Amino acid sequence: MTRRSVLFSPGDQPSLMRKAPTTGADVVVFDLEDAVAPARKGDARRAVSDLLTAADFDPDCEVCVRVNPVGSGAGDDVDAVLSGGGFDSVVVPKVTDADDVATVDSLLAEHDATSPVLALVESAAGVLNAHEIAAAGPTDALVFGAEDLSADIGATRTDEGTEVLYARERVVLAASAAGVDAIDTVHTAIEDPSAVAADARFAADLGFDGKLAIHPAQVDPINDAYTPTEADTAWATRVLDAAADSDAGVFRVDGEMIDAPLIAQAERIMRRARAADN
């Protein structure tokens, strides 16, 4: 399974939700939280539940539901939508500590359901507790939310993103230490694919496994950024072949000295390439 692109679709718009799996996104998220006005939460729950249980709905991607925050509607979302199944994972927003993840897990258990949790870290408390959130049993990915974090700490968002760089890197480190995926924040410029691509490549260089998308036009640039190029896979293949043939700790490939960290990098490239082909 790969989570290069994670596309949100408003839970109160059935036609958009049906189209979302056809965009090429690795993950589609039917959103019951920010994309839905408070007065339409009930409509969204019914629409998402109807789609998840529809006999003709069989998407070829991971299907996720973003519930409302713990204490602010998550229980109602689980009761109305997730008790019927039909989904693969759950995005939990505004996660501040591991207890939030455990609470959603308990809510699901009341319906004899379990689900991987994609924990959305988007506050100062969440970022500072990222390690314990990532290490929680149900957590399968940490998701970084820069926009809400900036609002929480009073930062001004800039094109360079230096105001959230530390938090971004902390989320990657916590996810890596816990062995779960790290998913990067949205890029809000939906009509500038080159900017989306550049931001996605930068996040991939930081160590993220994928990126959130808020419009179908962002999916292809994000997928491309997280898919190794032919040159990348050719280099990785040469490194791994040489490693298999060598009994030395350090050896040379293409005039470059190769040691354990570069072997690990080559293995990561090949894992991403295989995942992108599936």
Side-chain angles (χ1 to χ4, degrees), residues 2-6 24 26 168 182 184-185 187 192-213 217-230 232-233 265 268-269 271-273 275-276:
T2 183
R3 291 174 173 146
R4 297 169 301 175
S5 51
V6 181
D26 293 325
R168 215 172 180 182
D184 189 41
T185 189
H187 192 285
D192 189 349
S194 61
V196 174
D199 192 36
R201 287 193 297 269
F202 176 71
D205 288 343
L206 288 179
F208 280 95
D209 299 291
K211 188 170 181 64
L212 301 180
Q218 296 181 325
V219 169
D220 284 345
I222 291 173
N223 282 348
D224 288 345
Y226 285 95
T227 301
T229 65
E230 290 185 6
D232 291 335
T233 56
Q265 180 181 345
R268 180 182 176 90
I269 288 171
R271 284 196 303 270
R272 283 187 168 180

XYZ file of all heavy atoms in Angstrom, residues 2-6 24 26 168 182 184-185 187 192-213 217-230 232-233 265 268-269 271-273 275-276:
435
model
N 0.470 2.231 -0.788
C 1.189 3.495 -0.826
C 0.199 4.625 -0.584
O -0.979 4.529 -0.925
C 1.905 3.676 -2.182
O 2.659 4.883 -2.160
C 0.918 3.726 -3.337
N 0.698 5.683 0.014
C -0.146 6.854 0.299
C 0.548 8.104 -0.219
O 0.766 9.059 0.504
C -0.402 6.961 1.808
C -1.290 5.859 2.365
C -1.385 5.942 3.874
N -2.371 4.992 4.398
C -2.251 4.366 5.562
N -1.174 4.579 6.315
N -3.179 3.536 5.973
N 0.889 8.100 -1.508
C 1.534 9.267 -2.084
C 0.586 10.469 -2.056
O 0.960 11.567 -1.638
C 1.948 8.981 -3.531
C 2.969 7.884 -3.709
C 3.094 7.503 -5.172
N 1.806 7.046 -5.705
C 1.575 6.730 -6.965
N 2.562 6.848 -7.858
N 0.389 6.301 -7.360
N -0.636 10.259 -2.536
C -1.627 11.335 -2.624
C -2.844 10.966 -1.798
O -3.378 9.863 -1.921
C -2.027 11.558 -4.088
O -2.387 10.325 -4.701
N -3.271 11.909 -0.950
C -4.410 11.691 -0.049
C -5.408 12.808 -0.340
O -5.237 13.945 0.109
C -3.962 11.709 1.417
C -5.149 11.463 2.343
C -2.877 10.652 1.655
N -7.009 9.008 -9.560
C -5.654 8.475 -9.447
C -5.059 8.629 -8.072
O -3.896 8.244 -7.850
N -4.119 7.805 -4.330
C -3.904 6.551 -3.603
C -4.908 6.389 -2.472
O -5.290 5.277 -2.124
C -2.489 6.501 -3.030
C -1.428 6.425 -4.113
O -1.685 5.783 -5.150
O -0.343 7.006 -3.922
N 7.165 20.508 10.800
C 7.120 19.557 9.683
C 8.159 18.457 9.881
O 7.865 17.263 9.728
C 7.403 20.341 8.396
C 6.667 19.911 7.139
C 6.949 20.923 6.056
N 6.279 20.615 4.789
C 6.411 21.340 3.686
N 7.188 22.416 3.707
N 5.773 20.996 2.580
N 4.288 9.146 7.127
C 4.233 10.584 7.371
C 3.627 11.251 6.149
O 4.161 11.117 5.040
C 5.624 11.145 7.648
N 2.307 14.806 4.401
C 2.545 16.239 4.501
C 1.266 17.050 4.321
O 0.256 16.576 3.791
C 3.579 16.654 3.448
C 4.045 18.090 3.617
O 4.257 18.511 4.767
O 4.194 18.789 2.596
N 1.339 18.301 4.717
C 0.222 19.235 4.700
C -0.240 19.563 3.279
O 0.448 19.277 2.285
C 0.633 20.536 5.421
O -0.503 21.372 5.599
C 1.698 21.279 4.619
N -1.199 21.916 0.026
C -0.726 23.129 -0.637
C -1.980 23.829 -1.144
O -2.749 23.259 -1.919
C 0.229 22.804 -1.785
C 0.952 23.997 -2.321
N 0.345 24.936 -3.116
C 2.233 24.424 -2.143
C 1.222 25.870 -3.437
N 2.376 25.593 -2.854
N -2.077 26.083 -9.441
C -0.658 26.225 -9.755
C 0.029 24.868 -9.564
O 0.671 24.624 -8.551
C -0.019 27.277 -8.852
C 1.403 27.641 -9.280
O 1.962 26.928 -10.142
O 1.955 28.618 -8.744
N -0.109 23.975 -10.563
C 0.456 22.631 -10.410
C 1.960 22.620 -10.223
O 2.501 21.741 -9.555
C 0.048 21.920 -11.699
C -0.303 22.999 -12.666
C -0.810 24.132 -11.850
N 2.665 23.585 -10.794
C 4.118 23.603 -10.629
C 4.488 23.896 -9.185
O 5.463 23.332 -8.653
C 4.751 24.641 -11.561
O 4.288 25.944 -11.266
N 3.722 24.763 -8.516
C 3.990 25.060 -7.108
C 3.663 23.853 -6.244
O 4.392 23.548 -5.282
C 3.179 26.270 -6.663
N 2.582 23.161 -6.568
C 2.235 21.936 -5.842
C 3.344 20.900 -5.997
O 3.760 20.256 -5.027
C 0.888 21.368 -6.343
C 0.605 20.011 -5.687
C -0.241 22.331 -6.056
N 3.822 20.743 -7.223
C 4.875 19.759 -7.490
C 6.148 20.096 -6.719
O 6.786 19.219 -6.127
C 5.157 19.704 -8.989
N 6.522 21.381 -6.715
C 7.737 21.782 -6.009
C 7.612 21.541 -4.505
O 8.543 21.062 -3.860
C 8.039 23.256 -6.285
N 6.442 21.862 -3.956
C 6.227 21.657 -2.522
C 6.231 20.167 -2.189
O 6.775 19.753 -1.155
C 4.894 22.292 -2.113
C 4.738 22.391 -0.610
O 5.735 22.635 0.086
O 3.604 22.227 -0.124
N 5.642 19.363 -3.061
C 5.621 17.917 -2.824
C 7.022 17.330 -2.899
O 7.382 16.456 -2.097
C 4.701 17.239 -3.837
N 7.818 17.783 -3.845
C 9.200 17.282 -3.946
C 10.011 17.666 -2.710
O 10.804 16.873 -2.202
C 9.874 17.825 -5.217
C 9.367 17.181 -6.501
C 10.284 17.515 -7.674
N 10.309 18.951 -7.944
C 9.490 19.574 -8.786
N 8.555 18.882 -9.432
N 9.584 20.873 -8.991
N 9.795 18.890 -2.221
C 10.504 19.324 -1.016
C 10.117 18.448 0.174
O 10.972 18.027 0.954
C 10.185 20.789 -0.720
C 10.801 21.299 0.551
C 12.170 21.496 0.641
C 10.011 21.577 1.657
C 12.745 21.965 1.819
C 10.576 22.045 2.834
C 11.946 22.243 2.914
N 8.820 18.173 0.305
C 8.352 17.325 1.407
C 8.907 15.912 1.280
O 9.263 15.281 2.280
C 6.825 17.297 1.441
N 8.977 15.402 0.059
C 9.558 14.070 -0.152
C 11.025 14.068 0.265
O 11.508 13.107 0.881
C 9.412 13.655 -1.613
N 11.732 15.145 -0.042
C 13.137 15.246 0.354
C 13.284 15.293 1.877
O 14.289 14.825 2.427
C 13.781 16.487 -0.261
C 14.001 16.362 -1.760
O 13.959 15.224 -2.267
O 14.194 17.406 -2.420
N 12.279 15.850 2.563
C 12.311 15.882 4.026
C 12.097 14.501 4.626
O 12.449 14.269 5.781
C 11.234 16.832 4.564
C 11.450 18.328 4.393
C 10.253 19.092 4.971
C 12.740 18.793 5.046
N 11.481 13.599 3.839
C 11.232 12.253 4.333
C 9.771 11.857 4.392
O 9.444 10.744 4.824
N 8.868 12.733 3.962
C 7.448 12.390 3.958
C 7.174 11.293 2.938
O 7.859 11.164 1.925
C 6.602 13.622 3.638
C 6.386 14.542 4.812
C 7.211 15.637 5.027
C 5.360 14.308 5.713
C 7.022 16.484 6.106
C 5.158 15.145 6.801
C 5.986 16.233 6.996
N 6.122 10.523 3.211
C 5.710 9.430 2.326
C 4.621 9.852 1.352
O 4.358 9.141 0.376
C 5.187 8.253 3.160
C 6.256 7.705 4.088
O 7.215 7.109 3.570
O 6.138 7.886 5.316
N 3.958 10.963 1.619
C 2.883 11.409 0.764
C 2.420 12.784 1.181
O 2.968 13.400 2.096
N 1.365 13.260 0.495
C 0.915 14.633 0.713
C -0.596 14.719 0.544
O -1.181 14.017 -0.296
C 1.611 15.570 -0.278
C 1.372 17.059 -0.030
C 2.290 17.878 -0.908
C 2.102 19.369 -0.659
N 2.476 19.774 0.714
N -1.200 15.595 1.335
C -2.630 15.846 1.219
C -2.927 16.629 -0.056
O -2.125 17.457 -0.490
C -3.135 16.643 2.423
C -2.946 16.039 3.812
C -3.512 16.986 4.869
C -3.620 14.679 3.910
N -4.104 16.359 -0.626
C -4.576 17.099 -1.792
C -5.995 17.570 -1.510
O -6.789 16.856 -0.895
C -4.546 16.226 -3.043
N -6.804 18.208 -9.364
C -5.686 18.661 -10.191
C -4.353 18.535 -9.471
O -3.291 18.570 -10.106
C -5.910 20.111 -10.618
N -4.384 18.379 -8.153
C -3.139 18.249 -7.399
C -2.630 16.812 -7.339
O -1.482 16.586 -6.960
C -3.347 18.772 -5.973
C -3.675 20.252 -5.885
C -3.844 20.712 -4.444
O -4.343 19.978 -3.603
N -3.438 21.945 -4.164
N -3.452 15.864 -7.709
C -3.095 14.455 -7.510
C -1.899 14.042 -8.359
O -0.940 13.442 -7.844
C -4.309 13.542 -7.793
C -3.879 12.070 -7.844
C -5.381 13.745 -6.732
N -1.929 14.319 -9.645
C -0.831 13.881 -10.516
C 0.514 14.495 -10.129
O 1.527 13.768 -10.058
C -1.155 14.191 -11.977
C -2.166 13.219 -12.566
O -2.407 12.156 -11.955
O -2.731 13.520 -13.638
N 0.590 15.818 -9.875
C 1.883 16.373 -9.449
C 2.397 15.750 -8.157
O 3.606 15.530 -8.003
C 1.591 17.864 -9.262
C 0.407 18.145 -10.116
C -0.415 16.887 -10.094
N 1.488 15.452 -7.239
C 1.912 14.833 -5.986
C 2.395 13.406 -6.227
O 3.452 12.996 -5.735
C 0.764 14.860 -4.961
C 0.506 16.301 -4.506
C 1.079 13.966 -3.768
C -0.710 16.464 -3.623
N 1.632 12.636 -6.994
C 2.050 11.266 -7.300
C 3.420 11.245 -7.966
O 4.274 10.405 -7.645
C 1.023 10.578 -8.193
C -0.189 10.097 -7.427
O -0.196 10.071 -6.202
N -1.224 9.707 -8.154
N 3.632 12.161 -8.910
C 4.921 12.206 -9.600
C 6.062 12.497 -8.630
O 7.152 11.914 -8.738
C 4.895 13.285 -10.692
C 4.039 12.889 -11.887
O 3.706 11.694 -12.010
O 3.683 13.788 -12.680
N 5.814 13.397 -7.683
C 6.873 13.776 -6.741
C 7.275 12.614 -5.853
O 8.439 12.539 -5.421
C 6.402 14.952 -5.888
N 6.336 11.710 -5.576
C 6.619 10.590 -4.680
C 6.856 9.280 -5.424
O 6.927 8.222 -4.795
C 5.474 10.430 -3.671
C 5.502 11.490 -2.602
C 4.750 12.643 -2.721
C 6.319 11.352 -1.485
C 4.790 13.631 -1.757
C 6.372 12.329 -0.515
C 5.597 13.473 -0.659
O 5.650 14.450 0.301
N 6.995 9.356 -6.730
C 7.311 8.170 -7.521
C 8.744 8.284 -8.023
O 9.082 9.245 -8.719
C 6.357 8.040 -8.721
O 5.008 7.957 -8.254
C 6.684 6.794 -9.531
N 9.624 7.366 -7.678
C 11.014 7.457 -8.130
C 11.107 7.495 -9.651
O 10.354 6.823 -10.359
C 11.650 6.177 -7.575
C 10.794 5.806 -6.400
C 9.399 6.199 -6.801
N 12.037 8.288 -10.165
C 12.278 8.356 -11.593
C 13.029 7.105 -12.061
O 13.550 6.331 -11.247
C 13.106 9.592 -11.942
O 14.414 9.460 -11.351
C 12.435 10.861 -11.424
N 13.088 6.926 -13.371
C 13.852 5.801 -13.907
C 15.320 5.897 -13.501
O 15.963 4.875 -13.218
C 13.716 5.767 -15.428
C 12.328 5.370 -15.922
C 12.279 5.230 -17.426
O 13.353 5.334 -18.066
O 11.179 5.021 -17.967
N 16.438 7.255 -10.757
C 16.515 6.886 -9.341
C 16.543 5.369 -9.174
O 17.363 4.823 -8.422
C 15.314 7.447 -8.573
C 15.348 8.950 -8.444
O 16.449 9.530 -8.494
O 14.260 9.550 -8.293
N 15.616 4.686 -9.850
C 15.530 3.235 -9.683
C 16.741 2.539 -10.302
O 17.189 1.508 -9.784
C 14.238 2.683 -10.297
O 14.144 3.066 -11.675
C 13.015 3.231 -9.563
N 18.956 4.088 1.589
C 18.280 5.003 0.664
C 17.855 4.269 -0.610
O 16.746 4.463 -1.118
C 19.196 6.169 0.311
C 18.568 7.178 -0.644
C 19.525 8.312 -0.989
O 20.547 8.511 -0.317
N 19.212 9.057 -2.019
N 14.833 2.179 0.090
C 13.637 3.015 0.186
C 13.125 3.377 -1.205
O 11.912 3.344 -1.471
C 13.954 4.286 0.988
C 12.768 5.241 1.147
C 13.217 6.489 1.927
N 12.174 7.479 2.034
C 11.287 7.536 3.014
N 11.311 6.630 3.976
N 10.371 8.485 3.044
N 14.024 3.720 -2.103
C 13.631 4.054 -3.476
C 12.917 2.869 -4.129
O 11.873 3.025 -4.766
C 14.863 4.470 -4.299
C 15.343 5.848 -3.856
C 14.551 4.470 -5.793
C 16.676 6.260 -4.457
N 11.363 0.367 -2.638
C 10.061 0.149 -2.015
C 9.029 1.108 -2.577
O 7.890 0.718 -2.864
C 10.167 0.321 -0.495
C 10.821 -0.839 0.235
C 10.552 -0.789 1.734
N 11.001 0.457 2.348
C 12.211 0.642 2.841
N 13.120 -0.339 2.781
N 12.540 1.787 3.410
N 9.409 2.356 -2.741
C 8.474 3.341 -3.302
C 8.122 3.007 -4.743
O 6.969 3.166 -5.163
C 9.074 4.743 -3.220
C 9.023 5.365 -1.844
C 9.474 6.812 -1.861
N 9.168 7.479 -0.606
C 9.454 8.754 -0.359
N 10.091 9.479 -1.271
N 9.116 9.295 0.801
N 9.103 2.560 -5.498
C 8.846 2.216 -6.899
C 7.882 1.039 -7.000
O 6.958 1.039 -7.807
C 10.159 1.908 -7.614
N 5.705 0.071 -4.740
C 4.387 0.481 -4.243
C 3.636 1.283 -5.295
O 2.426 1.143 -5.466
C 4.533 1.289 -2.962
N 4.358 2.136 -6.025
C 3.708 2.957 -7.040
C 3.197 2.124 -8.209
O 2.235 2.518 -8.885
C 4.690 4.019 -7.553
